Amino acid sequence: MSMQEFSDNLSTLSYMSRRRIPTWIYDPKNKTLFGRTCCSWILCILFYLVYYACLATFFTCLLWLVLYCNAPENQPARTGAQSLLDFKPGLGFRPLLDVQKSLIRYSADDAQTYLPYTQNMDAYLDTYNQVNAKPDSQFANCKGKEGETKDVDKVCKFPLEVLGPCNTANNYGYGKGTPCVLLKVNKVFGWMPSIERPSQSNDILVSCSGQNSADEENIGSLAYYPSKNFSGKQ
């Protein structure tokens, strides 16, 4: 094969390789990719970047404006009778290790079995220790008639001493087989408890009992701190 024939064959192969790419994808004559030149692609990309950036900014500003006007910073948009709770707060308890389980099971002779419960109680009451360390001027005066107060923007001080033996030094009674369970009322904005039996107590009255007959037999005697229950028992 002569050099001329080799050169002709190489040109033919080069031409065939270029022709494998359709011109609508890449046109070597006009130097376009999908019908656009390099400058056209740059302008197109810049346009959509600016367009979507403006669209995202507009959506963010609109969302912020709606939330800022309708959702107060310190409370939900719907409170009181307008809320889904409708002045019917739920009653929770501690210790709570698993939201799917409410059973408290341990051995009083084995500290490792009730350690998670006491740690859960410590973590929950630590917030009260921090709040109670603030000056009394930051709390509402709740020593009036039936515990009423005009300081609706402040909270009553809850000293942990009123919980009696339910404290961390006593391991909340778990080591003695008399475990403490803290009852908590879920927060409902705009709700003020009404004292139905002020002759018994100025606090919210609760009553604890077994769910079935077996629970009634095993629950034993109960003590309430700092208030009384519906039956007037301490």
Side-chain angles (χ1 to χ4, degrees), residues 51-61:
Y51 172 75
Y52 284 112
C54 293
L55 189 64
T57 303
F58 173 77
F59 177 77
T60 303
C61 293

Side-chain angles (χ1 to χ4, degrees), residues 153-185:
D153 295 330
K154 298 180 180 180
V155 297
C156 300
K157 190 172 185 178
F158 185 79
L160 299 183
E161 292 78 11
V162 299
L163 296 179
C166 298
N167 53 66
T168 183
N170 192 38
N171 286 327
Y172 302 99
Y174 282 80
K176 300 178 181 179
T178 55
C180 294
V181 177
L182 300 178
L183 300 181
K184 57 183 290 290
V185 179

Side-chain angles (χ1 to χ4, degrees), residues 15-80:
Y15 174 77
M16 291 178 62
S17 63
R18 290 197 301 267
R19 293 296 297 174
R20 289 177 181 175
I21 303 177
T23 56
W24 63 270
I25 296 179
Y26 176 71
D27 188 356
K29 182 179 180 180
N30 298 320
K31 296 182 179 181
T32 59
L33 181 65
F34 292 104
R36 291 181 178 272
T37 62
C38 181
C39 182
S40 178
W41 275 113
I42 293 176
L43 292 176
C44 182
I45 293 174
L46 287 177
F47 169 78
Y48 280 104
L49 285 177
V50 174
Y51 172 75
Y52 284 112
C54 293
L55 189 64
T57 303
F58 173 77
F59 177 77
T60 303
C61 293
L62 182 62
L63 185 63
W64 175 84
L65 184 62
V66 171
L67 294 178
Y68 180 80
C69 295
N70 295 329
E73 183 178 356
N74 299 324
Q75 65 182 36
R78 293 186 176 184
T79 60

Side-chain angles (χ1 to χ4, degrees), residues 88-127:
K88 297 177 181 178
L91 188 66
F93 72 94
R94 294 293 185 275
L96 183 62
L97 303 183
D98 188 351
V99 295
Q100 302 295 335
K101 301 177 182 179
S102 59
L103 179 65
I104 299 177
R105 184 177 181 179
Y106 73 98
S107 174
D109 298 329
D110 187 358
Q112 294 299 321
T113 59
Y114 61 78
L115 181 61
Y117 296 107
T118 58
Q119 290 178 340
N120 187 268
M121 301 272 274
D122 286 335
Y124 179 75
L125 294 179
D126 183 63
T127 303

